[in-house]
Amino acid sequence: MATKVSTTTSTTSSATSRASKKLASRDPQGAPRSSAGAAAYALGAAREAELLQEAESLGENTLIFPGKLARRVIWASRIQLAAERDAADLVRTPFPEDDPPLTLEEIHGHRDKIELLRVTQSRWQAAHQRQEQAAATFAKPAAEAALHRQTLLRFFDLRFKKSADGQKRLMAIRAGSGDADLVQDVSDLLLLCSEHAEAVHKAPRGEAAAVARLRELSPLLARMLADKTLSPEALRSRKLRDAAYTLVVNAERRLRSAAEYWYAGTDKMKAYAPFPISRGAASTGGEEEGEAGAEDDGAEDDGETEDEAPEDVAPAEEEGEQGSP
């Protein structure tokens, strides 16, 4: 029986230890802390719909998201965590009468706006990558069509040497540039070739073969051009991404204004610093990201090539504890 009691005690102690470790891995509200690289927060469908409606209500009053999503989300999360830490002060900030008071709901809701930015950026990236793939596929047949275009223009330059009307048609074909113009040029040249079919067929420098190939390429290029052009859905996803970013920036400005009232000139203010748009801007306390940044719609960046945060801007919590918002 003594052995049995010892075993039971050992088992109970082990279970208690495991439970203690499990509790230690949770934040003060009882939510599990995130491990590195794991998503710690998911935006509910109803809340997402509510925020999307708020984002759409901005209309054209949006900022252009400059990219660097991973670093931007971490930075925004630090500000949000600092605001939660200092909420008791911030909600008592005497904002002007035309500016609504800061509430606990607004402070906690900033986390949802950060997550909305992540979600909308992912959706835009998916649409943009499909468009980029279509553009890459378009490049090879477009280059071939451009060569055949030159072959036929050379032929018609000679044929219309004494024809003012013919020269005008060639000028119209040569006018403009870009993929859409190339697709139209091919169509115009094929019409011109059909009007001079016998002369083109007799030409000795590959003109007939160029016409035959352009007849094959013309419908292909037209279809591929449509694929590589951003669809209305893709354009809307980009606009929503920019609007979500604007919600984050606007929320941070209000939090920063409240923090400046309470903590200007103190170390606490470091946690509310705006995201630097460049090393120079960061070192001089320069303008906030999004004020004049160019849009970066390339592949999502993991932040390694981005300017590092100023050393004196301390996070509200250690990054490893915070995880992703």
Side-chain angles (χ1 to χ4, degrees), residues 186 190-191 193-194 197 210-220:
V186 168
L190 287 174
L191 176 60
C193 289
S194 67
V211 172
R213 183 60 179 146
L214 283 183
R215 290 195 190 283
E216 296 174 353
L217 289 173
S218 182
L220 175 66

Side-chain angles (χ1 to χ4, degrees), residues 149 172-173 175-188 225:
R149 173 183 178 274
I173 291 173
S177 60
D179 297 335
D181 281 300
L182 175 62
V183 173
Q184 185 61 48
D185 291 348
V186 168
S187 179
D188 294 343
L225 179 65

Side-chain angles (χ1 to χ4, degrees), residues 120-320:
T120 53
Q121 171 70 348
S122 296
R123 290 171 184 165
W124 156 243
Q125 286 289 348
H128 182 59
Q129 286 169 9
R130 287 193 294 271
Q131 181 261 338
E132 282 187 325
Q133 291 168 357
T137 305
F138 179 87
K140 186 175 180 180
E144 182 186 354
L147 291 175
H148 297 317
R149 173 183 178 274
Q150 288 304 108
T151 296
L152 294 174
L153 285 173
R154 179 184 62 216
F155 168 79
F156 283 111
D157 279 339
L158 179 61
R159 186 167 182 81
F160 293 148
K161 203 167 188 67
K162 298 181 180 180
S163 170
D165 289 341
Q167 290 176 19
K168 286 181 180 178
R169 292 182 71 175
L170 294 182
M171 286 176 63
I173 291 173
R174 284 192 166 99
S177 60
D179 297 335
D181 281 300
L182 175 62
V183 173
Q184 185 61 48
D185 291 348
V186 168
S187 179
D188 294 343
L189 274 171
L190 287 174
L191 176 60
L192 199 56
C193 289
S194 67
E195 296 171 1
H196 300 268
E198 185 176 351
V200 171
H201 183 71
K202 292 178 179 179
R205 296 195 62 188
E207 285 84 351
V211 172
R213 183 60 179 146
L214 283 183
R215 290 195 190 283
E216 296 174 353
L217 289 173
S218 182
L220 175 66
L221 289 172
R223 185 179 69 252
M224 294 173 73
L225 179 65
D227 291 340
K228 73 185 288 292
T229 303
L230 284 176
S231 66
E233 293 77 15
L235 289 171
R236 181 174 183 272
S237 71
R238 181 172 64 184
K239 186 175 181 179
L240 284 175
R241 184 278 314 274
D242 290 345
Y245 170 66
T246 304
L247 291 182
V248 170
V249 172
N250 289 346
E252 288 180 358
R253 285 172 177 166
R254 278 176 53 79
L255 295 176
R256 190 171 300 114
S257 294
E260 284 173 351
Y261 173 79
W262 290 98
Y263 311 125
T266 71
D267 286 345
K268 268 193 173 184
M269 197 62 214
K270 295 176 182 178
Y272 296 91
F275 189 88
I277 60 171
S278 68
R279 193 176 297 277
S283 63
T284 59
E287 59 187 299
E288 184 175 326
E289 179 195 31
E291 295 293 330
E295 181 175 9
D296 175 10
D297 281 328
E300 188 172 307
D301 199 301
D302 62 4
E304 290 182 0
T305 59
E306 184 183 5
D307 292 335
E308 292 297 327
E311 291 183 2
D312 63 341
V313 179
E317 288 190 8
E318 287 299 318
E319 196 169 313

